[in-house]
Amino acid sequence: MTIYQTYASHVNAALDTLVADGVLPPDLPRDKVAVEPPRDTTHGDLACNAAMVLAKPAGVKPRDLAEKIAERLRAVDSIDTVDIAGPGFLNLRLDDGVWREELREIAAQGADYGRSDSGKGVSVNIEYVSANPTGPMHMGHCRGAVVGDALANVLQFAGHEVTREYYINDAGGQVDTLARSVHLRYREALGEDVGTIPEGLYPGDYLLATGARLAEELGDRYVRAPESEWLVLFREEAVADMMAMIRADLALLGIHHDVFSSEAALHKGGKAEAAEADLRARDLVYDGVLEQPKGKTIEDWEPVELPLFRSTQFGDDQDRPIKKSNGSWTYFGADLAYHYQKAQGSDALIDIWGADHAGTVKRIKAAVAALTEGKTAFDVKLVQMVKLLRGGEPVKMSKRSGSFVTLAEVVEEVGKDVVRFTMLTRKADAQMEFDFVQVVEASKDNPVFYVQYAHARIQSTLRKALAEMEVSPSDARLDLLGAEENELIRMAAQFPRIVESAASAREPHRIAFYLGDLAAAFHAFWNLGNDRPDKRIIMTQDAETTAARLYLAAQIGQIIRNGLALMGVDAADSM
RNA sequence: GCGCCCUUAGCUCAGUUGGAUAGAGCACGAGACUUCUAAUCUUGAGGCCGCAGGUUCGAAUCCUGCAGGGCGCACCA
């Protein structure tokens, strides 16, 4: 139990006695009662809003109710003072021992500190990356990959059973184009001069290897053969190679999915037909004709009857076709079936998408709501674009020549940890700049460095104390810790709350911001020792105080490691 | 024309799902290095939370309208 949960239960007990005494009516909903750290630390250690939330339904004045709750809370041993402030806040000040005890808790739980079971019983499927298997990963995929992976870590830490999934779009027109591009490279590998790559095909050099491999394995038998004879084969081979490449790219970032789902396999298994039948039976799919969109003229518009999903019933502004006029499935039609399949295996679904797909969120949410009859929680997290800069100047990217900035190049240049941390320094739905120069700067402007530096400082202090004083961290005399140290502990004790909020809000960036704050607090404490030698961690004349402060520093280090681990970043022991 | 996202200090951004006097960093002013790693810290100034209504004990946060910016708008993926 965290400190906050412990004191929430004290508040609950106090409310129970008030109900028993007839001051409060029974059955008041208490879900809005919160015990939280106050924003302003001068207000105490914990703040509770119970009196304000319950006063109205109970028909009493907030401050009167607050006074009654306060009376009962004052009887709790570990609570030093209870003040009533503002409109009826209960401000609790805890005995210092409570915080010292939390420090021992951190030490005892170690890498598990912050783990909770709040997500227990709710399995989550999180689909992220799902880049089209037509080439290597580039920076456009990077942010979604990191956000998805970090979120998966956070959810797991919060007790959810998590499935990390990648959806392979291996059934659309793009992979046919890929197959044709590879066929060209295959002919090239057999000695043909193919000249410049025609418009509409993928020009990238990364297809050379696949072409060469197929030339070696298949010989020249498909050089002159009609497309119908080789398209499927070349498509499968090319997709397999592209996926191998993508997996290798993801591995550079430390990302490993549990499940790779193939769109082609979905169709083979008749999943789309099954979903359609299900929806038709409930009149959620019908054959109809779409109107031409208003405010936009389409030259070759022709009204066609298509099977349409009634997404307007779920708030979309148009019903959406699940099949094309040529009979094949639309992306949406397949995606609908795919989400149906995912919903069979998990209680909650999360998709991480690029913001350019924002327009399709409504229809897929509608589809999932329809297919699962609203039973499966489903979230789409949109991830905004990343602008690449070098020293403030935009990095030029040309998709046409195939010379985009690849993920592998970036990881090679700045390292996995810098990429991952930086991608989490903004809310996912806010635009972000990634400056190659800035992200590797060794200064406090650079949060990656700043947090790493705090950790390295802690580790080096531990080493130094051991080497020069033969003193190790110890909890024997934690009573020697003062007010400044307690501030630090208070901050450290928030970690479990932060993890929980990051999990429930699905916002992994909160971990990064918290670590920045924690690092700042540690750096501040450290520098206090410059002005006040009695506040240094290492006190050569005082082994007991040194041991206690080392214990504190070690636990701060532990939390930084735990937070970084959730982000998928390794902690540095020295810099 | 419609839908979604955004608008917070000069700049870049947080804001614990509705809490108290709205916070950081950069930049600007003033300070701290014979150090425990100054790769850091302390301190000052800086605000109509885009605008206008509404909801309530209480709004940057929720609702409505408006303005400005971004993205997307037949069968593409």
Side-chain angles (χ1 to χ4, degrees), chain A residues 169-349:
Chain A
N169 296 128
D170 53 359
Q174 292 196 351
V175 282
D176 287 341
T177 302
L178 175 73
R180 292 184 190 107
S181 308
V182 165
H183 187 260
L184 197 71
R185 295 302 194 181
Y186 155 81
R187 281 158 48 201
E188 187 179 30
L190 288 168
E192 193 174 325
D193 180 9
V194 298
T196 55
I197 307 296
E199 192 77 14
L201 292 186
Y202 296 113
D205 288 346
Y206 56 85
L207 294 176
L208 288 168
T210 301
R213 178 174 72 79
L214 293 179
E216 188 172 326
E217 290 174 11
L218 304 170
D220 62 1
R221 83 181 95 150
Y222 293 114
V223 170
R224 306 244 163 261
E227 184 176 293
S228 58
E229 283 178 29
W230 52 259
L231 188 72
V232 172
L233 174 66
F234 273 61
R235 190 170 64 202
E236 281 173 3
E237 292 294 332
V239 167
D241 277 9
M242 295 304 108
M243 284 310 297
M245 205 155 72
I246 287 170
R247 283 184 204 229
D249 285 345
L250 286 170
L252 294 176
L253 279 177
I255 294 174
H256 306 277
H257 289 81
D258 301 315
V259 177
F260 288 82
S261 286
S262 149
E263 185 186 352
L266 197 78
H267 290 309
K268 232 178 237 170
K271 296 293 171 61
E273 282 85 356
E276 181 185 1
D278 181 40
L279 291 170
R280 272 194 194 271
R282 290 191 276 145
D283 193 34
L284 288 168
V285 165
Y286 66 103
D287 294 315
V289 179
L290 286 178
E291 284 176 28
Q292 182 161 191
K294 295 185 173 96
K296 193 183 177 186
T297 47
I298 296 150
E299 287 175 19
D300 53 349
W301 171 268
E302 278 175 38
V304 191
E305 191 177 72
L306 294 168
L308 301 176
F309 170 65
R310 290 194 195 279
S311 44
T312 46
Q313 278 191 10
F314 303 85
D316 203 355
D317 37 52
Q318 197 178 38
D319 289 338
R320 305 292 175 175
I322 60 170
K323 276 186 183 174
K324 306 179 203 171
S325 51
N326 68 9
S328 65
W329 295 95
T330 62
Y331 182 84
F332 173 63
D335 209 25
L336 176 152
Y338 172 55
H339 281 77
Y340 191 33
Q341 172 180 295
K342 284 196 291 186
Q344 313 290 306
S346 297
D347 303 320
L349 305 181

Side-chain angles (χ1 to χ4, degrees), chain A residues 67-78:
Chain A
E67 189 46 57
K68 292 206 168 72
I69 300 171
E71 268 172 40
R72 282 155 178 82
L73 288 178
R74 287 187 185 112
V76 177
D77 266 355
S78 57

Side-chain angles (χ1 to χ4, degrees), chain A residues 358-371:
Chain A
T360 62
V361 171
K362 262 193 182 169
R363 75 190 68 160
I364 192 67
K365 282 198 150 184
V368 172
L371 286 163

Side-chain angles (χ1 to χ4, degrees), chain A residues 62-68 70 74 82-91:
Chain A
R63 291 193 69 108
D64 293 350
L65 179 56
E67 189 46 57
K68 292 206 168 72
R74 287 187 185 112
V82 182
D83 295 324
I84 298 165
F89 280 102
L90 290 160
N91 288 335

